[in-house]
Amino acid sequence: MADQLARSVRASADAGSTEGLGTFSASALCGGAALYLGGLTLFGRATVAVWAPFRLGTMLVLLAWLPAAAALPPLAALAGVVVILAAVAAVETWRYSELRRNVRH
């Protein structure tokens, strides 16, 4: 338990580092977000039979971002992933606005 706590404290101290994030951490960051979008896409396909091509495209963008994220400092890599996911949220908000409006009224 103490060893895990020490690792967590070291990881949080490294967040402001100017060194590159590294391949393992970048894979977890970008791969985790891509896996989330993939699961969300498959869930949408299974429940309402709808594919979301922009989510699939975003998965590819996240995987393409992985080498850059590995070389960038941790906060810059995280900021890149946040910008990519915020763009997906904005597209979905705009694309499904009419559908939400019809469901509500």
Side-chain angles (χ1 to χ4, degrees), residues 3 7 19 23-24 28 31 43 53 55-56 69-70 79-80 82 100 102:
D3 187 43
R7 269 189 260 142
E19 294 179 17
T23 304
F24 179 79
F43 179 75
R55 286 185 192 153
L56 295 174
V82 167
R100 281 194 316 274
N102 291 336

Side-chain angles (χ1 to χ4, degrees), residues 16-63:
S17 172
T18 57
E19 294 179 17
L21 182 60
T23 304
F24 179 79
S25 298
S27 297
L29 178 65
C30 298
L35 187 62
Y36 166 75
L37 289 174
L40 194 59
T41 301
L42 290 175
F43 179 75
R45 177 70 178 151
T47 57
V48 291
V50 173
W51 281 109
F54 51 89
R55 286 185 192 153
L56 295 174
T58 304
M59 287 174 52
L60 295 176
V61 169
L62 283 166
L63 294 177

